[in-house]
């Protein structure tokens, strides 16, 4: 008898996917470890193997964990220089497994430690993403780039308020500083929203797939660059998947600027926003953990990152 992993009813899923012509007969599944947001499973029948993604259990913030958004952007990027898994089916009916979900290709790859060469490879992929005209891949209406930064600041403040369960010194001051001095954005681009080594699969030193597009939209691409730099900052110690030897940040910024032609003179503000955003995300995960609504390991220390992120953000803005 197959055991259902948390959040996935295999009997109902098997019947549904067989109706879609994707699988036949009983399914087995395993939760892929490491994810602290959407739940990701490898699902198998007797002959085929897929990946299924669904939102987390319990406390889900408005506009977060959008399955349709992930599915649409990966489908649109299929034939571009940005490597993504092939997408096969989106189910928006929450009655099937208890939440919307989608099915995509299982890409072989690994998540090695960061190296300077790998950092440059990742920046090349990010620059390629930011150089794709959204209308050329059917994403002209994927977001509202006008006022994007203003909405980002407001949105993450709203998400913070929805997850407040304790006092966080300095976080409201960081919000106020960000609000007072918002830069003027350049030309809009497709923004990943959480671009880092841990959201890619690597083989032979090359990016095989960029994953985790749940926060993608059209907006200011320097938000992606700032997040990437912050994830690689050893002083923050945010994500063990990013450990290794990061390339010199100044080299990374110069490489990106040359590849895209973007003005990076206000990058400090974007780093402050990245700190605010990651602090709010970490606080939301901490809140779910305290409510017993997380699945897997590695959640107990998440709340400790929030203060470090706020402190770093206040030095940038």
């Amino acid at each position: 008898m197959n055991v259902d992993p948390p959040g996935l009813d295999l009997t109902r899923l098997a019947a549904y996917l067989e109706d879609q012509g994707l699988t036949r007969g009983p399914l087995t599944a395993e939760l892929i470890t490491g994810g602290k947001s959407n739940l990701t499973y490898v699902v198998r029948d007797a002959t085929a193997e897929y990946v299924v993604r669904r939102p987390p259990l319990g406390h889900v913030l408005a506009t977060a964990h959008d399955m349709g958004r992930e599915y649409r952007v990966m489908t649109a990027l299929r034939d571009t220089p940005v490597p993504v898994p092939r997408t096969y089916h989106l189910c928006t009916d929450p009655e099937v497994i208890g939440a919307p979900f989608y099915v995509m290709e299982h890409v072989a790859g690994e998540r090695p430690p960061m190296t300077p060469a790998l950092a440059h490879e990742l920046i090349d992929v990010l620059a390629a993403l930011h150089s794709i005209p959204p209308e050329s891949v059917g994403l002209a209406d994927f977001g509202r780039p006008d006022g994007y930064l203003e909405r980002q600041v407001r949105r993450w403040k709203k998400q913070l308020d929805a997850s407040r369960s304790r006092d966080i010194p300095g976080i409201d001051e960081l919000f106020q500083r960000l609000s007072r001095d918002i830069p003027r954005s350049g030309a809009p681009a497709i923004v990943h929203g959480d671009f880092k080594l841990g959201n890619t699969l690597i083989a032979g030193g090359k990016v095989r797939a960029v994953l985790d597009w749940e926060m993608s939209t059209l907006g200011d691409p320097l938000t992606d660059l700032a997040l990437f730099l912050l994830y690689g900052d050893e002083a923050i110690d945010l994500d063990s998947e990013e450990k290794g030897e990061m390339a010199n940040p100044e080299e990374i910024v110069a490489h990106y600027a040359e590849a895209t032609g973007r003005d990076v003179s206000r990058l400090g503000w974007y780093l402050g926003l990245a700190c605010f955003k990651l602090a709010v995300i970490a606080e939301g995960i901490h809140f779910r953990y305290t409510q017993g609504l997380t699945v897997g390991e590695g959640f107990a220390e998440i709340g400790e990152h929030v203060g470090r992120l706020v402190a770093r953000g206040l030095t940038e803005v």
Side-chain angles (χ1 to χ4, degrees):
M1 179 178 178
N2 295 330
V3 177
D4 292 350
L8 202 63
D9 185 323
L10 289 179
T11 301
R12 293 177 64 87
L13 181 66
Y16 181 84
L17 293 185
E18 188 160 339
D19 285 345
Q20 305 304 316
L22 288 172
T23 61
R24 294 197 66 180
L27 300 177
T28 60
E30 60 183 289
L31 181 70
I32 298 176
T33 59
K36 297 181 175 62
S37 184
N38 286 336
L39 302 182
T40 308
Y41 313 82
V42 177
V43 174
R44 302 177 179 91
D45 67 3
T47 60
E49 182 177 70
Y50 298 100
V51 167
V52 171
R53 290 263 288 174
R54 62 148 289 165
L57 307 179
H59 180 74
V60 176
L61 299 173
T63 75
H65 317 296
D66 188 335
M67 297 294 97
R69 193 163 205 84
E70 282 201 321
Y71 186 85
R72 181 183 175 190
V73 70
M74 285 194 296
T75 302
L77 294 172
R78 174 177 294 182
D79 297 318
T80 73
V82 180
V84 290
R86 286 197 166 273
T87 51
Y88 297 117
H89 183 75
L90 170 68
C91 176
T92 58
D93 181 1
E95 296 301 316
V96 178
I97 64 167
F101 68 93
Y102 67 88
V103 184
M104 66 179 174
E105 174 188 15
H106 185 211
V107 177
E110 58 181 0
R111 288 172 173 167
M114 181 68 84
T115 65
L118 190 51
H120 282 278
E121 163 73 7
L122 288 160
I123 281 296
D124 284 338
V125 171
L126 187 62
L129 173 66
H130 294 164
S131 300
I132 297 170
E135 64 276 7
S136 71
V137 290
L139 294 177
D141 63 343
F142 192 58
R144 295 179 294 128
D146 290 345
Y148 171 76
L149 293 179
E150 290 85 349
R151 289 196 306 277
Q152 281 288 296
V153 174
R154 292 197 306 268
R155 173 194 176 184
W156 292 109
K157 175 59 160 59
K158 183 178 180 181
Q159 303 284 49
L160 170 65
D161 291 341
S163 297
R164 280 187 191 265
S165 60
R166 58 181 180 161
D167 181 53
I168 306 170
I171 199 164
D172 291 306
E173 171 64 19
L174 180 55
F175 165 72
Q176 292 296 336
R177 292 189 192 179
L178 290 167
S179 301
R180 285 197 297 263
D181 190 24
I182 296 175
R184 183 186 298 274
S185 294
I190 302 167
V191 173
H192 180 276
D194 195 25
F195 189 82
K196 60 178 181 175
L197 175 61
N199 283 341
T200 66
L201 293 172
I202 309 296
K206 297 294 183 182
V207 178
R208 287 289 309 278
V210 180
L211 309 172
D212 300 318
W213 294 85
E214 64 187 273
M215 290 187 284
S216 59
T217 189
L218 301 187
D220 190 323
L222 294 186
T223 55
D224 274 345
L225 176 62
L227 269 176
F228 179 74
L229 293 170
L230 188 60
Y231 275 121
D233 188 334
E234 292 183 1
I236 295 297
D237 190 28
L238 183 67
D239 196 327
S240 61
E241 293 174 327
E242 306 300 299
K243 292 296 173 283
E245 185 184 356
M246 180 70 165
N248 180 281
E250 288 77 17
E251 290 180 9
I252 287 291
V253 172
H255 187 80
Y256 175 88
E258 182 179 3
T260 62
R262 297 276 176 176
D263 178 4
V264 296
S265 60
R266 290 291 312 277
L267 191 59
W269 185 94
Y270 292 89
L271 285 165
L273 176 62
C275 289
F276 185 61
K277 172 180 174 176
L278 291 185
V280 172
I281 291 172
E283 188 64 15
I285 295 170
H286 171 75
F287 180 84
R288 290 204 301 273
Y289 171 74
T290 62
Q291 301 298 304
L293 296 173
T294 50
V295 176
E297 300 178 352
F299 295 96
E301 297 81 23
I302 289 292
E304 299 173 8
H305 296 306
V306 178
R308 288 196 293 271
L309 285 161
V310 171
R312 167 67 188 278
L314 288 171
T315 70
E316 294 288 353
V317 181

